[in-house]
Every structure is written in structure tokens, then in C-alpha cells.
């Protein structure tokens, strides 16, 4: 029986289909992974060695480790790039990074009261986490995940992020420039994914904006006047529980929520670089077009010395020249 129910999901006015669920040894897993298609994988045992990672255990073994904790005034934790905050924009993020020891984080989680700022630990697993936890980390099913890297010709593993979230927290819709094998250790997380082909429905912020890669659409209260094509967005959904691994393909948009279940979630992601390009084949894939668009935006920003001028130049190039009405 599933350890969750529909009442624990937030409600959105979005259409979605289900992400396929397959056993780890089903041959279809590799073909989905290698074709950049999401799949929820059962039975891989990727993180079976750390199912004991809860607040008490980690507090015992990581108590004085300094951790990155996002603190938010609401339930949304919209990531931003600090380096892209410039004096020319007004930028008031609702969630901010804060450093605290694991002990401090665990105590704040245990004594948290409704209305207080929400917390979300997002800590890279590196050798600062203490030898006991490193020993657990070594026991991940590395053979399995590295065999997927090899089969799909992904690039290097770049990092593992440990995520500990309060119930109901949300990571709003965004895409990453890496392949992500997402493993849940404790609790349930709901994912809504959108393929790169739905770029136009999701309106990501401009590349130079601190919210680069994040959708501008607030799923709780979509502004259909500003973002009319969001009505056409159609996602792929999965609820991911302990020992499950969700493959989030590179450049796929994803919204993530920890279910409103009365508990917290613990999860770990495995990020891999994109594989080297052996031979470019046409037509290009949608995610390759997204990479090109990013480069065009970056190049124009650099050439013009002011990201604020990028939009008007793109408009000058396009409007009346490449717009379908005019052709
Ligand atoms: C999350 O689990 O909240 C976010 C993970 C991701 O965006 O990769
Ligand atoms: Fe992500």
C-alpha cells in the first residue's frame, strides 16, 4: 500500500500524465535513460544503505557540521544565483541561504511552529560531513548508478546534494543543466516534470536574471495574462518514496514538493554532467535548442555590456521579420 494519499498533494490547475514506473532490471529502463525520458525506478538499492538517515541519526553523526539551510517566509524555495544580483534590478527573494550547524538545524526542525520561517537543508555531501556519514556514503550502490552513467555516456558525477525538507515545502518549477538521479530516503516527494519542448508554456526568467532557469509562473496563482501559454502546459507526475530513484533528464523542467504528511523528507540527488557530443544530428533535440538559446542570450548580454538591452535587440531582430504574421 502506498504510504501517502491524494489529500497530501497540493492542488494545481495543470494537466498531467504519469511518469512510467519500472523495476531496475527492466530493459526499458536503459532505453528511457539513454533517450532523456523520465522514469521512476524501483529496486535499485541505490540508497538502501542509508535508510537510517533521519534527523536523530544525522544529528548524532553530523552535529557540528556547518550546513547550508534555505530559510523561507513561505512554502516556496525558489533558487537564485547570488552572482546575478546587480544594482540595476530590484530583487527581493523570499528564501535565503543561511549557515548553521546540523544540530541547530535539527533542533529548529523539531521545535518548528506554524507561521515561523520554513527550513530546507540543501547540503553537498563532501568530506566535511564527518567520517561516519562518509562511511555510509561509500555504501551507496555506486556500481548501479555508475553503470547507468556508462551506458548512457553521461559525463562525470559532479555532486551529491543531501536535501532535508519540511512537509509542504516546494522547490518551484525550474530546469538544471545536468542529468539527475534523484533518490528518496525518507518520506514522499511529488514531482511534476515538463519536457524542454514546453519551454514556451513555462516562461523561464532571462539568463541574466538571478532566477535564471526558474519558471516565472507561480503555480499557486498563475498569471494567465502574462503567461497565457501556461494553460497548454502538460506535465508528467510521480510520487517518489523511500528507495525509489527518479531520473530527471537534463533540461527537463521540474517542480518538487514534500508531501503534506506531517513528517519531513530526506533525499539525495546524483548530478552528472552532460555527455560529450560525438556527432551532432539534425533535427536538433529540444534540449539542444535550449542550450543554444542560453548561449545567444549570454552572448548578446556580453556584447552589449548590459543585459537590460538584450530584450530590445532580440525584438528588433525578430518582430516584423521572423514573426509568422509578417511572413
Ligand atoms: C528538491 O528536491 O526540492 C529539488 C531537487 C532538484 O531540483 O533537483
Ligand atoms: Fe533541480
Amino acid at each position: 500500500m502506498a504510504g501517502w494519499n491524494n489529500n497530501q498533494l497540493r492542488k494545481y490547475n495543470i494537466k498531467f500524465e504519469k511518469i512510467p514506473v519500472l523495476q531496475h532490471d527492466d530493459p526499458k529502463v536503459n532505453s528511457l535513460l539513454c533517450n532523456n525520458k523520465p522514469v521512476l525506478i524501483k529496486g535499485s538499492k541505490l540508497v538502501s544503505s542509508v535508510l537510517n538517515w533521519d534527523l536523530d541519526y544525522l544529528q548524532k553523526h553530523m552535529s557540528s557540521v556547518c550546513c547550508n539551510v534555505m530559510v523561507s517566509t513561505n512554502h516556496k524555495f525558489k533558487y537564485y544565483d547570488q552572482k546575478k544580483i546587480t544594482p540595476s534590478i530590484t530583487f527581493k527573494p523570499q528564501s535565503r541561504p543561511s549557515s548553521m550547524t546540523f544540530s541547530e538545524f535539527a533542533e529548529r526542525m523539531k521545535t518548528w511552529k506554524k507561521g515561523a520561517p520554513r527550513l530546507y537543508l540543501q547540503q553537498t555531501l563532501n568530506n566535511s560531513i564527518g567520517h561516519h556519514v562518509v562511511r555510509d556514503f561509500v555504501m551507496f550502490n555506486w556500481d548501479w548508478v555508475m553503470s547507468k552513467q556508462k551506458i548512457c555516456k553521461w559525463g562525470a558525477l559532479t555532486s551529491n546534494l543531501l536535501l532535508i525538507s519540511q512537509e509542504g515545502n516546494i522547490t518551484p518549477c525550474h530546469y538544471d543543466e545536468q542529468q539527475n538521479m534523484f533518490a528518496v530516503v525518507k518520506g514522499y516527494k511529488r514531482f511534476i516534470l515538463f519536457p524542454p519542448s514546453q519551454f514556451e508554456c513555462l516562461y523561464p526568467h532571462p539568463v541574466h536574471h538571478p532566477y535564471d532557469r526558474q519558471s516565472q509562473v507561480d503555480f499557486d496563482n498563475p498569471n494567465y495574462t502574462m503567461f497565457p501559454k501556461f494553460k497548454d502546459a502538460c506535465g508528467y507526475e510521480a510520487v517518489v518514496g523511500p528507495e525509489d530513484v527518479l531520473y530527471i533528464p537534463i533540461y527537463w523542467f521540474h517542480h518538487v514538493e514534500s508531501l503534506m504528511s506531517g513528517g519531513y523528507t530526506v533525499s539525495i540527488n546524483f548530478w552528472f554532467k552532460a555527455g560529450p557530443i560525438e556527432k551532432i544530428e539534425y533535427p536538433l533535440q529540444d534540449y539542444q535548442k535550449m542550450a543554444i538559446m542560453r548561449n545567444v542570450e549570454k552572448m548578446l548580454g556580453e556584447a552589449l555590456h548590459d543585459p537590460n538591452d538584450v530584450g530590445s535587440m532580440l525584438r528588433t531582430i525578430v518582430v516584423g521579420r521572423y514573426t509568422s504574421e509578417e511572413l
Side-chain angles (χ1 to χ4, degrees):
M1 201 185 76
W4 57 277
N5 63 63
N6 279 321
N7 296 332
Q8 297 168 346
L9 304 177
R10 292 191 181 268
K11 305 281 179 284
Y12 301 110
N13 190 14
I14 306 172
K15 304 176 275 299
F16 25 74
E17 294 171 22
K18 294 273 174 242
I19 292 175
V21 181
L22 296 178
Q23 282 300 322
H24 69 107
D25 51 359
D26 188 321
K28 289 196 282 289
V29 168
N30 288 348
S31 87
L32 289 168
L33 292 177
C34 294
N35 285 296
N36 294 312
K37 294 283 178 343
V39 52
L40 172 52
I41 305 162
K42 298 267 179 193
S44 73
K45 297 202 160 37
L46 179 57
V47 293
S48 305
S49 60
V50 300
L51 295 179
N52 57 346
W53 280 15
D54 58 14
L55 280 177
D56 290 331
Y57 179 88
L58 293 171
Q59 189 171 9
K60 189 158 163 216
H61 298 291
M62 277 176 69
S63 61
S64 56
V65 173
C66 184
C67 292
N68 179 52
V69 177
M70 298 302 295
V71 181
S72 179
T73 50
N74 61 20
H75 60 283
K76 291 174 210 153
F77 291 75
K78 189 168 176 177
Y79 173 83
Y80 59 91
D81 184 344
Q82 206 108 32
K83 296 190 289 297
K84 293 185 178 176
I85 303 177
T86 59
S88 66
I89 54 160
T90 41
F91 184 68
K92 288 213 181 72
Q94 236 134 12
S95 66
R96 290 174 189 279
S98 151
S99 294
M100 62 183 83
T101 62
F102 193 91
S103 260
E104 226 177 301
F105 167 71
E107 284 312 315
R108 282 181 66 169
M109 288 284 279
K110 288 174 188 170
T111 56
W112 185 79
K113 298 226 163 52
K114 232 180 159 168
R118 283 173 167 264
L119 305 169
Y120 198 161
L121 179 134
Q122 304 187 351
Q123 174 61 33
T124 304
L125 292 174
N126 53 27
N127 41 22
S128 78
I129 56 173
H131 72 275
H132 203 97
V133 177
V134 169
R135 233 168 41 203
D136 292 344
F137 170 91
V138 172
M139 299 302 286
F140 290 165
N141 190 354
W142 289 106
D143 285 350
W144 180 78
V145 75
M146 298 318 270
S147 76
K148 299 304 174 201
Q149 175 209 32
K150 200 166 162 202
I151 292 165
C152 302
K153 300 196 171 84
W154 294 339
L157 175 86
T158 56
S159 55
N160 290 102
L161 198 66
L162 170 65
L163 298 149
I164 305 182
S165 172
Q166 283 176 318
E167 60 152 340
N169 284 358
I170 280 180
T171 299
C173 185
H174 67 282
Y175 66 89
D176 298 305
E177 295 176 275
Q178 300 204 55
Q179 304 284 8
N180 190 353
M181 291 291 245
F182 192 99
V184 171
V185 170
K186 183 175 162 52
Y188 290 84
K189 271 182 159 172
R190 185 241 206 135
F191 288 74
I192 307 173
L193 270 53
F194 303 88
S197 58
Q198 293 191 26
F199 184 95
E200 281 178 307
C201 304
L202 293 162
Y203 304 88
H205 287 269
V207 163
H208 295 94
H209 193 277
Y211 282 142
D212 176 26
R213 299 187 290 102
Q214 314 284 322
S215 171
Q216 296 179 77
V217 183
D218 177 359
F219 282 19
D220 289 332
N221 188 18
N223 182 335
Y224 293 113
T225 312
M226 279 174 84
F227 310 119
K229 289 204 172 105
F230 183 64
K231 285 199 186 99
D232 302 328
C234 181
Y236 293 86
E237 186 197 35
V239 174
V240 185
E243 295 200 84
D244 294 344
V245 175
L246 176 68
Y247 167 54
I248 308 169
I250 187 165
Y251 285 106
W252 276 60
F253 289 85
H254 46 289
H255 153 107
V256 191
E257 64 191 58
S258 289
L259 265 51
M260 297 179 289
S261 60
Y264 56 92
T265 61
V266 178
S267 41
I268 300 163
N269 68 25
F270 294 69
W271 268 313
F272 293 89
K273 280 194 176 155
I277 300 165
E278 280 163 2
K279 183 166 162 273
I280 297 190
E281 288 186 36
Y282 294 93
L284 293 176
Q285 295 184 45
D286 294 309
Y287 83 91
Q288 294 172 312
K289 290 183 183 167
M290 275 174 69
I292 295 174
M293 289 194 281
R294 291 186 64 79
N295 285 334
V296 169
E297 283 186 60
K298 281 186 201 167
M299 245 162 46
L300 279 182
E302 275 167 36
L304 295 168
H305 268 249
D306 185 352
N308 292 316
D309 293 342
V310 171
S312 67
M313 179 164 280
L314 285 172
R315 219 169 292 122
T316 307
I317 296 175
V318 170
V319 175
R321 298 184 62 236
Y322 286 94
T323 37
S324 52
E325 299 82 11
E326 303 289 326
L327 287 176

